[in-house]
Amino acid sequence: MSEKISDLVERAADRTVPVVRGIEDEQLSWPTPCGDYDVRTLVGHLYRVVVNFRELAAKRDADFTQQPVPLEGDWRAGFAEETRRLVAAWAEPGAEEGTTGAMAMPARTVGSMVLGDLVVHGWDLARATGRTYAPSGVDATLLDELGQQWAQLAPTGRKMGVFGPEVPVPPGAGRFERLLGLTGRDPEWAPGARAGA
């Protein structure tokens, strides 16, 4: 039986929340591997994703046309709290059952989408701000879930502009590097390099 999405999201959050907490104010204008997003807008985007996917876990509609959450007050602690609430929402009985969202997608697939956002954007933010997000630290169960679900979602994601064009990775690349390439990221991206999609 597959591991619960809430457990996977919690483990992903355990890596991403400290990255967000460690962002310095002067780093908010720095570029990221994620297209046109700088650190500020990417954190605000991920914050919005966390709030929206909490709603989807409860089988309520979410508005993805909203702008990124403005980073005001103690936004670092706010992000950590919203992420905790996200985990709790996906742990509720029935959260993984049936369909959810305007596209009526399987709830497990929707849960895997927020899981992937936490992992990939966590890497984006760590890479942008000089923090460690070693691929070896992304456990095999997370990669199993993301590899299976995101490979199916990628073609639609590209049509919708959510994923950039796939970035080729070397034949010996690990699973995490292949996931990054699938989402339009160069695993070798560094500040000062051209940002991917």
Side-chain angles (χ1 to χ4, degrees):
M1 181 176 170
S2 298
E3 193 165 347
K4 289 178 64 176
I5 282 290
S6 59
D7 293 337
L8 297 175
V9 169
E10 184 172 29
R11 294 210 300 277
D14 285 346
R15 296 197 74 205
T16 298
V17 167
V19 171
V20 172
R21 281 192 182 276
I23 295 171
E24 303 289 343
D25 287 346
E26 62 268 21
Q27 295 175 321
L28 292 173
S29 62
W30 291 8
T32 74
C34 189
D36 296 328
Y37 287 100
D38 62 10
V39 170
R40 179 189 306 277
T41 52
L42 185 55
V43 172
H45 164 75
L46 185 56
Y47 205 135
R48 177 70 66 202
V49 164
V50 166
V51 170
N52 282 345
F53 277 85
R54 189 186 72 230
E55 294 298 302
L56 292 172
K59 306 295 192 285
R60 294 190 290 262
D61 285 335
D63 183 0
F64 286 93
T65 64
Q66 293 178 356
Q67 295 298 310
V69 171
L71 303 187
E72 300 170 339
D74 191 354
W75 54 266
R76 295 168 184 88
F79 177 80
E81 173 60 19
E82 288 296 341
T83 305
R84 187 196 64 73
R85 294 176 67 195
L86 172 75
V87 172
W90 282 98
E92 286 291 322
E96 287 188 42
E97 298 170 9
T99 60
T100 190
M103 296 174 66
M105 295 177 71
R108 176 90 188 188
T109 299
V110 171
S112 295
M113 292 166 71
V114 72
L115 174 64
D117 274 355
L118 281 169
V119 170
V120 173
H121 289 322
W123 177 87
D124 287 331
L125 291 167
R127 184 57 64 103
T129 58
R131 284 168 179 74
T132 301
Y133 199 102
S136 59
V138 182
D139 68 71
T141 309
L142 280 171
L143 290 172
D144 287 344
E145 180 73 26
L146 293 176
Q148 175 185 358
Q149 296 284 356
W150 280 42
Q152 296 173 13
L153 293 169
T156 302
R158 285 194 193 90
K159 287 178 186 173
M160 296 175 66
V162 178
F163 289 0
E166 185 168 0
V167 173
V169 295
R175 293 165 67 193
F176 186 65
E177 288 83 357
R178 293 197 302 271
L179 175 68
L180 293 173
L182 178 71
T183 64
R185 287 160 175 79
D186 179 357
E188 300 300 318
W189 187 94
R194 184 181 67 82

